[in-house]
Amino acid sequence: MTLLDVQNLTVTFPSRQGPQQVVRNVSFMLGRERLGIVGESGSGKSQTGRAILGLTPAPGRATADTLAFDGIDLRGASAKQWRALRGARMSMVMQDPKFSLNPVMTIGRQLAEAARRVASSRAEQRERAVAMLEAVQIRDPARVMAAYPHELSGGMGQRAMIAMMLITEPDLLIADEPTSALDVTVQIEVLRILDDLVTTRGMGLIFISHDLRLVSSFCDRVLVMYAGRVVEELRATELQQAQHPYTRGLMGCLPRIDGNTRPLATLQRDEAWAL
Amino acid sequence: MSTREWLLTEQPASRRQARAGQAYRTWIAFRQNRLAMFGLGIVLVLVLVALLAPWLAPQDPIVGGSLRTERLLPPSWQHLMGTDDQARDILSRIIYGSRITLLVVALVAVIATPIGLLVGTTAGYYGGWVDTVLMRITDIFLAFPRLILALAFVAALGPGIENAIIAIAITSWPPYARLARAETLTIRAADHIDAIRLQGAHSARIIWGHVVPLCLSSVIVRVTLDMAGIILTAAGLGFLGLGAQPPQPEWGAMIAGGRRFILDHWWVATMPGLAIFVVSLGFNFLGDGLRDVLDPKARK
Amino acid sequence: MASIANEEGRRGALPALAWKIVKILASVALTFLGLLLVTFMIGRVVPVDPVLAVVGDRASQSVYNRVFIELGLDKPLYEQFWIYLQKILSGDLGVSFLTKKPIIEDIARVFPATLELATVGILIGTILGIPLGVLAAVRQGRFTDQVVRVVGLIGYSAPIFWLGLLALLVFYARLHWVAGPGRIDISYEYSITSRTGLMLWDAAMQGQWDAFRNAFSHIILPASLLGYYSLAYISRMTRSFMLAELAQEYVITARVKGVAEWRIIWVHALRNAAVPLVTVVALSYAGLLEGSVLTETVFAWPGLGQYLTNSLQNSDMNAVLGGTLVIGAIFVGLNLLSDLLYTLLDPRVRRR
């Protein structure tokens, strides 16, 4: 069953040198599976994720031949339609909880606000919030509810963020570098929690990262993006059979424990790939 | 290669070309801001009017006409802005008054900018207790509302245009000092300042030769933005009878003079006010546009 | 690791906050001392002989000498400053040359009028200025934004005394929409017992609604004028704070959550912008004191501003310096208040 159908998605920003396309003709289909999008910074992977949610920042513009979520055409959706979809059926976890959580609202209020989509009474919203915090393995939900974002560690903040985004049990979650701002030791923990929730609730996941190894171990399929284009699409298990020189280059950069690591490979780029 | 191409090239051949190109790009961006261009126009007109006052003014600004027949005449072709209670042509007075306004603005800028720069760069460059003391003094001056402090100074020094200018200058420098200090703090950490210091240059030389020039542009923008405030303060002092003394055609004092007649002869107080308003608006538009162009952070 | 960060920090929060407050207070005390030094120095450079101001110019040399010593003018400057300091701190600002009363009493009598005017003014400026600024930020670069910008720039450019005169001419003399100069018509002046000195407040408390209406129609014009000036500043700052907030990631988070746009703007972003806005409102409140000097002159408003200009015109230096000092002190006090409010409003500062 197709959850998300994207055909020829293009995101354009005006600039002094004329319009710049930061995402160019990206196409993919997504079911209830885990899709990874890999690329360097500036490859257009984040803008792809935002365009799917209709959050391309002004003055940018996103266009596509098809952009359909569960059969609903998202192109030219009204503000009302977007609000009905966002939060309730699709949501997104962003990189750094320091910035993505509202600094002057308690975690509890922010969770309750998200829970309004599924629970009308205050008590029920609170109940859901507590349950969701427990689901992301926060042991002392009451205290976290009363805390402000700056009082939480990065890992705790990101768990609260995940809880907030999953509280409505959406069908699609976009995770945009969800662990890049965290300490390495916490990363694994947060990823495991995310993985658990996505699998048990059977939602579709788009996992955006610059870390090829992380993505391939975590996702079913991988899109490799370079300069706004998808240069290669692979099953995570078939990574070794990558054809595109850029993907191979990325893999060559990964240090291996065995084998010859000297000299450490540097990533070669070719302007032709961007065309 | 046209001059325009030479200016806009991506690969300038010399430092001079790069600088000229940068200035030209700033000018292009500035030109697109219609309000700013409008402001620049007003300021240029002010300068021209002040320079050409004797040729532009139809009548004498100080000596009026016949007190019996030409007093408090409403605007007409004879007197475009009417006449005041001394039978003087208001338009001529306003034209000559532009000289006083320009003088105030120029002198305050010339006095306050160096003080602000000196205090700010010294505080920022040396840091430590020098910084603490200088910034504390700056804060004390900032703690007074500007007009009130100027009032107190003029009251002490005695009314008059020179004392008004001194008082406004004394109350104007603190914001420039704060700005210059903030800029200096970022410049001080730069590598090329370290390099100069290692060559054994004097602190004073480093400050005046290398730090001040780098602070100058942002301070100048700030001074331009302040011009309107300076004009308004000067007019306020004039209105209270503390600035230029009669019969000087100072705009604020002219409003005060026309105040008694406001109900029956509205033009006497209205016209000079209009002049103050238009000139301040011009400086505000100009400063606003300059900031938009020179400070990309505020452009949003 | 997976527990709330720095539990220690929270338990130790109170002393940290207290320490912060002590630091703020110390800096305020220092600034105030500076204020005193400035007014003292201004008092010293006056070309008017302070002795002659007391004894008059026909006094004999012996009287002159006696007063010279009484005023402490024979002592070194630092000692004179010390005496000045002690006098001020005990609430003695000297005696007014004009009213022959202690200046502190004069100021206490006229200050409520200014307070009332400035308060109504800041209310108008804040209630209109913040929504205008928010609107300008939301419609950035479009027509509304341009209109708000121009309205603000006009406020920055027009001399307040001139606008006041024109407003009197149009709304009082020609249209008769409002009452003219002064605080209240003479016929009502004695129907209110002055308790707080705030006429609107006193009238309302005593149920004198006719008097209230009359006082209101007197205050509305000068207060709107002052309000317009603070509106110009407040709307401009609100716009720039809101633009900064609307570009933050948490706004995207709120959109992703499906929060309604009006809620994102007026609850999420504005609540964050409110933290620095408190300072802006406090500063423009203080700025209205400055505007009141000129406005009160135009509207014959019997407040601190008029007292100051009256004293100025009669070269009553003691009163001028006393008024300047009081306004400076209020300025410092408002700055202090905004610092403290800032601390209370921002959870990041509060708990740190």
Side-chain angles (χ1 to χ4, degrees):
Chain A
M1 193 199 81
T2 312
L3 195 57
L4 185 68
D5 184 359
V6 180
Q7 297 301 326
N8 286 328
L9 174 69
T10 299
V11 178
T12 317
F13 281 87
S15 81
R16 213 183 281 181
Q17 283 83 35
Q20 294 280 329
Q21 296 185 334
V22 296
V23 176
R24 296 190 282 179
N25 298 325
V26 167
S27 305
F28 61 90
M29 310 262 268
L30 180 78
R32 295 190 181 272
E33 58 178 328
R34 291 169 299 187
L35 173 73
I37 301 183
V38 191
E40 310 165 281
S41 55
S43 62
K45 55 191 195 304
S46 286
Q47 286 304 336
T48 305
R50 302 222 163 164
I52 293 167
L53 283 167
L55 291 172
T56 302
R61 273 172 45 83
T63 53
D65 291 345
T66 315
L67 186 60
F69 172 77
D70 201 13
I72 307 164
D73 191 356
L74 298 179
R75 297 172 307 162
S78 69
K80 207 175 144 198
Q81 280 173 299
W82 273 120
R83 268 208 310 283
L85 284 174
R86 285 187 207 138
R89 302 201 57 198
M90 48 212 282
S91 63
M92 173 162 78
V93 174
M94 279 172 290
Q95 184 168 354
D96 194 340
K98 258 208 304 291
F99 303 118
S100 53
L101 291 169
N102 188 333
V104 299
M105 268 189 186
T106 59
I107 301 291
R109 266 193 74 192
Q110 297 189 53
L111 276 162
E113 190 175 54
R116 290 216 296 207
R117 313 300 297 275
V118 287
S120 47
S121 80
R122 290 252 162 149
E124 202 182 334
Q125 287 165 13
R126 207 187 138 74
E127 211 172 285
R128 286 227 181 203
V130 171
M132 201 61 225
L133 285 177
E134 274 165 354
V136 293
Q137 299 178 16
I138 286 175
R139 255 162 262 131
D140 192 356
R143 202 161 67 180
V144 172
M145 295 271 282
Y148 285 96
H150 72 277
E151 295 170 322
L152 303 181
S153 65
M156 289 286 281
Q158 199 61 310
R159 286 191 222 186
M161 182 76 187
I162 292 172
M164 189 162 78
M165 287 306 171
L166 294 185
I167 203 164
T168 53
E169 309 201 340
D171 300 308
L172 170 67
L173 179 71
I174 297 171
D176 188 354
E177 304 261 12
T179 56
S180 311
L182 306 180
D183 287 346
V184 183
T185 41
V186 191
Q187 281 187 0
I188 313 289
E189 221 176 322
V190 170
L191 274 180
R192 197 169 41 72
I193 292 168
L194 190 64
D195 190 27
D196 271 1
L197 291 169
V198 167
T199 318
T200 53
R201 295 176 190 213
M203 50 180 106
L205 173 75
I206 296 178
F207 189 91
I208 298 169
S209 175
H210 62 278
D211 187 338
L212 183 62
R213 186 154 47 182
L214 187 71
V215 167
S216 62
S217 67
F218 192 64
C219 297
D220 310 315
R221 277 192 304 145
V222 179
L223 296 181
V224 181
M225 284 186 76
Y226 179 76
R229 256 179 215 291
V230 174
V231 292
E232 188 154 30
E233 180 176 350
L234 301 154
R235 300 212 65 78
T237 47
E238 294 163 1
L239 214 55
Q240 298 305 326
Q241 283 101 59
Q243 298 298 310
H244 196 276
Y246 179 70
T247 318
R248 300 197 68 86
L250 278 180
M251 290 180 51
C253 291
L254 300 176
R256 256 163 302 176
I257 292 173
D258 55 337
N260 185 10
T261 54
R262 261 168 232 273
L264 210 57
T266 49
L267 192 52
Q268 301 294 318
R269 294 178 180 82
D270 190 333
E271 276 184 30
W273 302 342
L275 300 175
Chain B
M1 192 158 69
S2 76
T3 319
R4 193 185 142 82
E5 279 166 3
W6 182 81
L7 284 165
L8 287 181
T9 178
E10 294 285 337
Q11 281 99 26
S14 67
R15 187 193 287 191
R16 196 169 58 89
Q17 186 181 357
R19 279 209 186 133
Q22 191 58 42
Y24 185 64
R25 279 191 197 99
T26 309
W27 168 244
I28 290 177
F30 182 81
R31 217 171 44 184
Q32 279 161 357
N33 186 337
R34 255 179 293 164
L35 286 183
M37 285 305 283
F38 183 57
L40 183 65
I42 292 175
V43 173
L44 288 178
V45 167
L46 172 77
V47 174
L48 276 180
V49 166
L51 283 176
L52 304 177
W55 293 278
L56 289 176
Q59 259 119 51
D60 190 281
I62 312 285
V63 183
S66 157
L67 281 178
R68 207 157 43 78
T69 55
E70 288 178 275
R71 222 175 139 250
L72 295 170
L73 292 177
S76 64
W77 286 112
Q78 186 72 43
H79 302 282
L80 283 175
M81 291 185 175
T83 60
D84 65 5
D85 58 322
Q86 304 284 320
R88 294 173 295 205
D89 181 51
I90 294 178
L91 177 65
S92 305
R93 282 177 71 71
I94 287 180
I95 288 175
Y96 272 93
S98 66
R99 294 187 153 189
I100 300 181
T101 300
L102 206 59
L103 180 79
V104 170
V105 166
L107 280 182
V108 169
V110 167
I111 300 171
T113 313
I115 300 179
L117 273 174
L118 183 66
V119 171
T121 48
T122 310
Y125 183 80
Y126 287 106
W129 66 268
V130 178
D131 185 28
T132 314
V133 170
L134 287 178
M135 280 304 114
R136 183 51 59 185
I137 294 173
T138 310
D139 281 350
I140 289 167
F141 276 87
L142 277 175
F144 281 107
R146 193 148 143 197
L147 180 69
I148 309 279
L149 188 59
L151 273 183
F153 271 113
V154 179
L157 298 170
I161 189 73
E162 301 85 2
N163 288 345
I165 290 172
I166 292 171
I168 297 173
I170 288 176
T171 55
S172 295
W173 65 266
Y176 313 150
R178 293 224 132 227
L179 185 63
R181 173 179 175 267
E183 295 269 312
T184 308
L185 286 181
T186 56
I187 296 165
R188 188 178 62 170
D191 288 339
H192 75 273
I193 298 290
D194 275 342
I196 299 162
R197 201 177 300 142
L198 284 176
Q199 288 166 12
H202 268 289
S203 293
R205 235 188 78 107
I206 298 177
I207 291 177
W208 280 109
H210 299 274
V211 177
V212 167
L214 290 172
C215 299
L216 208 56
S217 74
S218 54
V219 172
I220 284 176
V221 172
R222 182 61 211 258
V223 173
T224 313
L225 271 171
D226 267 7
M227 293 287 184
I230 292 168
I231 291 173
L232 290 182
T233 310
L237 288 175
F239 180 72
L240 294 174
L242 296 169
Q245 295 301 301
Q248 289 291 312
E250 198 273 326
W251 295 344
M254 285 168 71
I255 298 178
R259 194 178 153 194
R260 282 180 292 147
F261 314 107
I262 185 81
L263 294 186
D264 301 316
H265 311 283
W266 55 269
W267 57 89
V268 185
T270 306
M271 296 304 178
L274 213 55
I276 301 173
F277 172 62
V278 169
V279 171
S280 313
L281 200 64
F283 274 111
N284 271 330
F285 282 159
L286 178 65
D288 224 45
L290 270 184
R291 190 181 44 193
D292 279 2
V293 172
L294 295 179
D295 182 5
K297 267 178 297 181
R299 188 160 7 187
K300 295 191 306 182
Chain C
M1 186 169 62
S3 77
I4 291 181
N6 62 34
E7 199 171 332
E8 238 69 48
R10 283 188 85 185
R11 221 183 290 131
L14 214 110
L17 184 63
W19 177 235
K20 197 177 156 57
I21 290 175
V22 166
K23 261 167 80 178
I24 292 176
L25 287 177
S27 104
V28 165
L30 216 59
T31 309
F32 189 69
L33 199 69
L35 287 185
L36 286 171
L37 193 62
V38 170
T39 48
F40 173 76
M41 289 316 275
I42 293 176
R44 289 305 123 196
V45 299
V46 191
V48 183
D49 188 332
V51 181
L52 287 185
V54 175
V55 299
D57 40 5
R58 266 170 302 181
S60 68
Q61 189 62 36
S62 63
V63 175
Y64 183 93
N65 288 345
R66 190 167 50 77
V67 175
F68 189 82
I69 291 169
E70 261 175 29
L71 289 175
L73 293 173
D74 56 330
K75 300 198 173 75
L77 266 185
Y78 64 89
E79 216 166 301
Q80 288 185 36
F81 180 60
W82 179 240
I83 294 167
Y84 176 72
L85 204 65
Q86 283 173 320
K87 271 174 67 179
I88 300 286
L89 289 181
S90 63
D92 180 6
L93 295 177
V95 174
S96 163
F97 178 62
L98 203 62
T99 63
K100 312 285 184 214
K101 281 193 212 143
I103 289 163
I104 193 91
E105 273 177 32
D106 278 350
I107 288 177
R109 180 169 42 80
V110 296
F111 185 66
T114 300
L115 184 68
E116 186 167 37
L117 183 61
T119 305
V120 178
I122 197 74
L123 282 177
I124 293 172
T126 310
I127 291 170
L128 295 178
I130 289 181
L132 274 181
V134 171
L135 226 61
V138 172
R139 306 201 188 283
Q140 183 203 356
R142 280 186 279 173
F143 185 68
T144 324
D145 186 20
Q146 296 296 340
V147 169
V148 173
R149 185 175 188 168
V150 169
V151 164
L153 284 174
I154 288 174
Y156 275 119
S157 308
I160 193 166
F161 49 93
W162 176 67
L163 270 193
L165 283 172
L166 293 189
L168 268 180
L169 173 67
V170 174
F171 296 109
Y172 163 63
R174 295 279 150 88
L175 297 174
H176 304 290
W177 285 2
V178 296
R183 283 183 91 183
I184 197 161
D185 286 356
I186 302 169
S187 47
Y188 290 106
E189 188 147 12
Y190 298 101
S191 59
I192 319 172
T193 335
S194 180
R195 292 245 164 71
T196 57
L198 307 172
M199 222 161 240
L200 289 175
W201 178 268
D202 284 343
M205 285 295 111
Q206 292 158 28
Q208 299 280 352
W209 293 108
D210 280 349
F212 180 87
R213 230 168 287 136
N214 185 266
F216 185 78
S217 92
H218 274 277
I219 201 174
I220 189 68
L221 204 54
S224 303
L225 212 61
L226 287 175
Y228 179 44
Y229 280 79
S230 55
L231 176 151
Y233 182 51
I234 291 175
S235 66
R236 186 192 190 115
M237 297 313 280
T238 306
R239 175 182 182 274
S240 79
F241 292 151
M242 281 298 284
L243 282 179
E245 291 302 333
L246 287 172
Q248 298 290 317
E249 288 243 307
Y250 70 80
V251 169
I252 297 175
T253 306
R255 290 211 174 103
V256 170
K257 282 199 287 186
V259 176
E261 199 60 28
W262 67 265
R263 216 182 129 79
I264 291 176
I265 294 163
W266 296 95
V267 178
H268 282 259
L270 188 58
R271 176 67 182 73
N272 274 280
V275 177
L277 264 182
V278 166
T279 313
V280 167
V281 171
L283 279 181
S284 43
Y285 194 35
L288 290 192
L289 288 175
E290 187 171 18
S292 74
V293 172
L294 292 163
T295 315
E296 288 179 5
T297 312
V298 171
F299 287 88
W301 192 265
L304 190 54
Q306 209 193 29
Y307 180 73
L308 208 59
T309 42
N310 263 339
S311 313
L312 264 174
Q313 266 140 18
N314 294 289
S315 1
D316 186 354
M317 258 335 262
N318 272 348
V320 171
L321 290 180
T324 308
L325 191 61
V326 168
I327 290 180
I330 295 169
F331 224 72
V332 174
L334 281 170
N335 269 316
L336 169 72
L337 188 73
S338 79
D339 271 3
L340 294 179
L341 277 177
Y342 195 103
T343 313
L344 288 177
L345 266 178
D346 191 340
R348 283 160 295 188
V349 184
R350 185 169 60 206
R351 299 267 172 92
R352 203 169 279 157

